[in-house]
Amino acid sequence: MSANKKMLVLAGDGIGPETMAQVMRVVDWFDKRRAVRFDVIERKVGGAAYDAYGTPLTDETLADALAADAVLFGAVGGPKWDDLPFEVRPERGLLRLRKEMDLYANLRPAIVFPAMAEASSLKQELVEGLDMMIVRELTGGIYFGEPRGIETLPDGSRRGINTQVYTTPEIRRVARVAFELARKRGGKVCSVEKSNVMESGQLWREEVQKLGAEEYPDIELKHMYADNCAMQLVREPKQFDVIVTDNLFGDLLSDCAAMLTGSLGMLPSASLGDIDDNGFRRGLYEPVHGSAPDIAGKDMANPLATLLSFAMLLRYSFDLGEDADLIELAVKNVLAGGMRTADIMQPRKARVSTSVMGDSLLMELDKQGA
Ligand code: IPM
Ligand code: MG
């Protein structure tokens, strides 16, 4: 018997706590019904942590994250904290976790569930069967580059500065994740940058090209400028298998890809670090959507993205593919049965609350047995 899995749960702000509450019911189901056992620790993060401790991420919580087998994250931020100084804004908590845990590879799948194809803003035939993965670099680039800041110039005007910077190892390690994923998927990688205007993009292209030629000749590698990629995503998304790109372009393109699927409320993500000598890999799992303060506390939010993030956690951190499959199948069946939260509501479907969606998922899991 393997030891209990230590899972740190950070529900955060806005709809984070209410969606996480439903996922915790599913965690409990797995704990009781399947082979895996969890030790769950829950902590505050983001605005909730700021209100309690004056910082969006305490050193203790960071230590808990570093000691955990995996971290499940909800969402952070909201208007209540918008006027805080930059260093203590809720988002800084998440960014510090990513950086300190060295989670450099952010996997953002964009999958269209059969029942949801007609909910896309694109024509159904363009998105039906879509299954792509964006691998976003997560600990470098303009999000963390130095120098940064806002300075006052001698004439009294101000200047804001951020720096886009990448090194060879940073590019190669995230590209390697993309190539490896492509091997298990459709065998295609599209590397995205702006090498026509940025030196960091030129280096990006050269390094990815070199790595592909040296170690992944079996993978079909293409390069694309980021603006063209945005256009291609809405023109013909099914041309993509794995996209690999930097932190900022990945932020933009993954929102765009997410919307193709019919709802941001459906998409999970995994942020992974390197595999250490014992085969352990740090991972943080979170929905792509944010904290949606406008609907928070109304039992309206869609818990599926957080639930599917838990499925990714089972798959990537604990190698429990079959258990992850169970969750993904339950989600598929619940959607096929007509259940919809408000964000994905369609004509002639049953509009349900966050908690009723949770009930239906548990019923579905019970049906599949243990
Ligand atoms: C995301 C979010 C974050 C980011 C914010 C909340 C800091 O937009 O995960 O895509 O920009 O990375
Ligand atoms: Mg984003």
Side-chain angles (χ1 to χ4, degrees):
M1 280 277 99
S2 55
N4 289 10
K5 303 290 188 193
K6 251 201 288 182
M7 187 163 78
L8 174 65
V9 173
L10 302 170
D13 309 320
I15 60 171
E18 60 203 278
T19 52
M20 193 64 83
Q22 297 311 313
V23 176
M24 293 315 293
R25 296 172 72 195
V26 173
V27 172
D28 205 47
W29 187 93
F30 275 78
D31 195 60
K32 294 212 170 74
R33 303 286 291 274
R34 302 283 296 176
V36 60
R37 296 286 167 272
F38 295 104
D39 290 335
V40 174
I41 325 175
E42 296 188 60
R43 295 283 182 261
K44 291 184 196 305
V45 74
Y50 177 80
D51 288 347
Y53 317 113
T55 167
L57 179 74
T58 64
D59 292 341
E60 291 76 17
T61 302
L62 175 61
D64 287 334
L66 291 168
D69 292 318
V71 180
L72 187 61
F73 192 96
V76 288
K80 182 175 173 198
W81 304 284
D82 273 353
D83 297 327
L84 287 180
F86 198 68
E87 312 74 51
V88 290
R89 287 180 59 104
E91 292 81 3
R92 299 312 298 175
L94 175 59
L95 293 170
R96 184 168 172 222
L97 274 170
R98 289 173 178 171
K99 189 71 176 172
E100 302 269 347
M101 294 174 75
D102 201 18
L103 306 171
Y104 62 85
N106 183 212
L107 278 48
R108 298 192 162 185
I111 294 167
V112 171
F113 288 84
M116 295 295 308
E118 60 192 72
S120 173
S121 49
L122 292 193
K123 289 192 203 104
Q124 193 166 337
E125 66 264 24
L126 286 179
V127 296
E128 227 158 15
L130 176 72
D131 177 0
M132 58 174 288
M133 178 78 90
I134 295 187
V135 179
R136 167 189 177 193
E137 200 291 326
L138 203 60
T139 52
I142 203 161
Y143 270 56
F144 296 97
E146 301 278 348
R148 66 185 299 159
I150 299 177
E151 60 187 26
T152 303
L153 300 174
D155 71 354
S157 62
R158 297 196 305 155
R159 178 159 72 172
I161 306 154
N162 290 94
T163 302
Q164 168 79 333
V165 53
Y166 274 106
T167 61
T168 305
E170 284 179 305
I171 298 167
R172 288 177 70 96
R173 66 181 187 170
V174 72
R176 183 166 274 120
V177 171
F179 282 121
E180 293 290 339
L181 276 169
R183 261 193 190 147
K184 296 193 197 136
R185 299 172 41 99
K188 291 199 298 186
V189 169
C190 179
S191 171
V192 174
E193 28 60 14
K194 284 279 289 180
S195 58
N196 50 345
V197 285
M198 294 161 78
E199 284 81 355
S200 60
Q202 191 184 329
L203 183 74
W204 182 284
R205 181 178 287 223
E206 287 171 12
E207 290 300 329
V208 175
Q209 178 64 34
K210 224 182 340 171
L211 182 69
E214 283 164 11
E215 294 181 33
Y216 300 95
D218 52 314
I219 303 298
E220 184 191 314
L221 172 63
K222 245 182 43 185
H223 303 274
M224 204 178 261
Y225 298 142
D227 52 347
N228 184 28
C229 182
M231 189 266 273
Q232 294 298 335
L233 271 174
V234 292
R235 193 183 76 93
E236 197 198 334
K238 280 190 267 183
Q239 70 184 281
F240 296 108
D241 178 24
V242 177
I243 288 178
V244 62
T245 189
D246 76 18
N247 206 342
L248 183 60
F249 293 143
D251 182 43
L252 307 180
L253 296 173
S254 63
D255 263 24
C256 179
M259 200 59 220
L260 300 176
T261 67
S263 166
L264 212 53
M266 303 282 301
L267 291 186
S269 82
S271 305
L272 306 174
D274 255 333
I275 302 176
D276 72 12
D277 294 341
N278 304 318
F280 173 72
R281 169 172 239 171
R282 286 220 162 89
L284 179 146
Y285 301 82
E286 57 174 317
V288 171
H289 65 67
S291 59
D294 50 322
I295 60 162
K298 296 187 180 157
D299 198 21
M300 268 174 74
N302 187 344
L304 295 179
T306 309
L307 180 63
L308 291 167
S309 300
F310 174 60
M312 284 187 98
L313 179 153
L314 293 174
R315 190 183 304 284
Y316 289 102
S317 278
F318 301 155
D319 202 20
L320 293 170
E322 268 180 39
D323 295 80
D325 287 346
L326 270 181
I327 293 182
E328 285 161 9
L329 184 65
V331 168
K332 220 179 191 166
N333 288 348
V334 164
L335 290 174
M339 299 282 178
R340 299 286 187 276
T341 42
D343 59 311
I344 52 175
M345 187 54 193
Q346 295 162 295
R348 295 175 309 281
K349 304 291 182 206
R351 179 171 160 174
V352 299
S353 64
T354 312
S355 43
V356 169
M357 187 57 105
D359 296 342
S360 316
L361 287 160
L362 286 172
M363 264 156 52
E364 198 49 52
L365 284 168
D366 278 339
K367 250 194 252 168
Q368 293 168 37

